[in-house]
Amino acid sequence: MPIPLTRGVVALALWAASFAPVLAQVTPPVSTPADTTHKFENPTAAPSGAAKPWYKGKLVKATIVPAVLITYGALHVNNRGFYTNEQANRDIHKLFPTYRTRLDDILIFAPYAELGLVTLAGVESRNDRLNTLLVILKSEAIMVATTFSVKYLVKEERPDKSNNYSFPSGHTAQAFLAASIVHTEFRDQSQWYGIGAYTIATSVAALRMINTKHWQSDVVAGAGFGILSAHLGYLTHRNRWGRKPNLPKGMSFSPTWQTGYTPTGSLAGVPGLRFTWQPK
């Protein structure tokens, strides 16, 4: 009996060994740790550097509201449109039949007064004072050029028949330009600065109609020209004056004044520029 048992065990061992080469070729799965290094770089798997659609560009955002206002005004020039200038003028003077004021001549610059007071109060603006001034000058030049060019081209008669330069309203354009500057400079601090400035600008537009100086189409288009001029002033302001250049570390420039004797023996000074560079 012992012999058959031994032979059975050996046969069983040999039969199991025949599967060893096959088992040796099967590699158990190895778990790979998840790569979290670039976890948040592109979570939506969007192609990097993809260009934005044209309708999401800065130029479209800056011009869509002014374009709507100017288009409305242009469609209602010379008593045209679904709500004519005569109808609007009649409705306005039902509410203010005899009221007249010169307050609109003063309020056109009130948003700039707000800009100065808020700045002096220490509220941080979007740009420094020099660059804000440059944007204002550029925007004013754009507003004056466009507004008065259109006035001379359209030659619409004013409601009080004083002249033929009614469309668009220069007072309204000026007020809304200044309000747009205030809104852009302080909107990161509080929206109420812009709301106050636009409220003043809207008051100017209303007073121009109450004073029978402009039609409703004039003030709506004037608001569009003012806002557009401010937006173009910012969009074209590429050079930031008054800011220190980003020089490499260890590099600097400084003015110098060197004195010496001229060939005639007199003492003279010469301005210069010193360049220093200490590589690190």
Side-chain angles (χ1 to χ4, degrees), residues 1-205:
M1 289 297 295
I3 294 175
L5 180 61
T6 304
R7 289 179 179 178
V9 173
V10 173
L12 182 60
L14 291 174
W15 176 80
S18 64
F19 290 94
V22 179
L23 294 174
Q25 296 177 7
V26 179
T27 305
V30 179
S31 60
T32 305
D35 180 16
T36 59
T37 306
H38 307 283
K39 181 178 180 181
F40 300 105
E41 285 189 357
N42 193 5
T44 59
S48 58
K52 292 183 179 180
W54 64 270
Y55 55 84
K56 291 185 178 181
K58 291 182 178 180
L59 183 61
V60 174
K61 292 181 180 180
T63 57
I64 185 168
V65 172
V68 171
L69 296 174
I70 294 172
T71 301
Y72 177 90
L75 292 175
H76 287 75
V77 171
N78 294 324
N79 209 35
R80 298 193 302 264
F82 57 87
Y83 182 51
T84 65
N85 286 337
E86 291 287 355
Q87 292 173 331
N89 193 48
R90 183 181 64 248
D91 293 339
I92 290 170
H93 287 94
K94 283 182 179 178
L95 297 174
F96 304 95
T98 59
Y99 181 78
R100 297 294 182 270
T101 180
R102 297 296 301 273
L103 188 61
D104 48 344
D105 294 330
I106 301 172
L107 287 179
I108 57 174
F109 298 110
Y112 281 148
E114 179 188 354
L115 176 68
L117 292 173
V118 173
T119 302
L120 291 175
V123 179
E124 185 178 359
S125 59
R126 174 184 174 182
N127 294 291
D128 56 73
R129 295 180 184 180
L130 176 59
N131 284 283
T132 302
L133 178 61
L134 292 173
V135 170
I136 291 174
L137 293 176
K138 187 186 300 183
S139 302
E140 290 283 350
I142 295 172
M143 186 274 294
V144 170
T146 54
T147 301
F148 284 91
S149 296
V150 175
K151 279 179 178 290
Y152 283 101
L153 288 173
V154 176
K155 292 184 178 181
E156 183 184 33
E157 188 178 32
R158 294 180 185 270
D160 63 356
K161 303 185 184 304
S162 58
N163 58 45
N164 294 329
Y165 302 121
S166 185
F167 181 87
S169 169
H171 279 65
T172 307
Q174 174 63 68
F176 273 88
L177 186 159
S180 297
I181 296 290
V182 173
H183 171 68
T184 303
E185 289 297 326
F186 299 112
R187 64 186 176 191
D188 294 334
Q189 305 297 329
S190 174
Q191 293 290 339
W192 286 104
Y193 296 117
I195 292 173
Y198 279 122
T199 300
I200 295 172
T202 304
S203 301
V204 172

